[in-house]
Amino acid sequence: MRKARTISCWRCGWVCAAIALLFAVVPLQAAELTGQYIEARTTDVWTGPCFANADVNLGGKHAIMAWKIDKGQWNKVALDGFSVVAVLAASDTLGTLQTAPGKAVLIVDERADRRQREALVAFAKQQGGDLLRNVVAVRSARVELSTCACAEGGCGTLRAGDARIQTRCLDHKHDKVCGNETAFYPPLARGVKVQPALAAENVYTGKGLDSTWKDSGRRSAYLGTFTIR
């Protein structure tokens, strides 16, 4: 009888440990961070292959990426309602192989405290990957990112210090050039669900990247949402 009880208790211990592990893992898997995303580049992302190939390494080396967090945590810091923006200057056309390190300036929501600021910077670096490996400056500013609930979901605005984006929905009749347009370049950020849009305004007038730009009327934007688990 003692031997049977020992085996039973041993099995019970493993079962209890497995159940405890399950309950420990489930909340981590269920946790997620969600929000809105916008980006604009200095070349068309919705374009035909012939136009894209002709523009490689001539344009598209600059971009603005922005995230507005609706709900969630990063590094155990609540970031509900906060935003972060990345302004990029790359060595080659974004979306192609980079032959040299680029530069990035981050603009963090001015309402963030120290812990939130650090979490927003870490979040942006994670989602931007290698493009945000070389951050040369982190600045604070008022950040306003909003999207319009229009039928095609392509209308949005970003105002963040020296960076601005304004988009509108693509007109698949009048915005076509070759008739073979697709979303040729994928979005720059990870974990986003987006659609291409026209950038009526794509502007950066700040310091830190050795370049500024004022671009308009280009099919160079993406707009949508992100979910990070």
Side-chain angles (χ1 to χ4, degrees):
M1 291 295 292
R2 289 182 181 177
K3 186 175 182 180
R5 286 177 183 173
T6 301
I7 295 173
S8 177
C9 291
W10 179 80
R11 289 177 178 174
C12 182
W14 274 103
V15 171
C16 291
I19 293 173
L21 179 62
L22 177 63
F23 279 100
V25 171
V26 168
L28 292 176
Q29 292 177 334
E32 64 181 23
L33 190 146
T34 60
Q36 303 167 50
Y37 176 78
I38 191 171
E39 80 173 52
R41 307 189 207 179
T42 51
T43 192
D44 290 353
V45 297
W46 190 71
T47 186
C50 53
F51 284 91
N53 291 330
D55 199 36
V56 168
N57 293 335
L58 297 178
K61 300 178 183 181
H62 302 88
I64 301 171
M65 312 158 64
W67 300 261
K68 180 180 180 181
I69 298 165
D70 292 333
K71 187 175 182 180
Q73 297 182 358
W74 193 263
N75 292 344
K76 298 182 179 180
V77 179
L79 297 176
D80 298 17
F82 287 94
S83 302
V84 60
V85 180
V87 188
L88 311 174
S91 60
D92 302 274
T93 300
L94 291 162
T96 65
L97 181 65
Q98 299 297 301
T99 58
K103 295 180 179 180
V105 170
L106 296 184
I107 304 173
V108 179
D109 197 317
E110 65 181 6
R111 299 172 300 140
D113 61 24
R114 180 187 59 81
R115 292 182 69 243
Q116 291 164 333
R117 177 187 173 98
E118 291 174 354
L120 287 167
V121 169
F123 166 76
K125 287 182 175 181
Q126 173 69 26
Q127 300 312 114
D130 289 342
L131 294 174
L132 298 187
R133 181 174 295 178
N134 183 23
V135 174
V136 297
V138 179
R139 303 191 177 111
S140 295
R142 181 178 180 181
V143 182
E144 299 178 354
L145 196 168
S146 62
T147 58
C148 176
C150 54
E152 296 187 16
C155 299
T157 59
L158 170 72
R159 298 289 182 269
D162 298 314
R164 301 194 305 275
I165 299 175
Q166 183 172 350
T167 69
R168 69 162 172 81
C169 298
L170 285 167
D171 185 326
H172 288 259
K173 180 178 180 180
H174 296 99
D175 288 329
K176 283 188 174 180
V177 177
C178 67
N180 195 31
E181 282 85 355
T182 62
F184 186 87
Y185 291 110
L188 297 172
R190 301 168 177 170
V192 297
K193 184 178 180 181
V194 294
Q195 60 184 26
L198 186 136
E201 184 180 39
N202 172 16
V203 175
Y204 179 67
T205 57
K207 299 179 180 180
L209 300 178
D210 300 323
S211 58
T212 61
W213 61 90
K214 293 184 179 180
D215 208 20
S216 62
R218 195 186 291 273
R219 304 168 301 172
S220 60
Y222 280 114
L223 188 69
T225 61
F226 64 87
T227 300
I228 311 299
R229 291 184 172 85

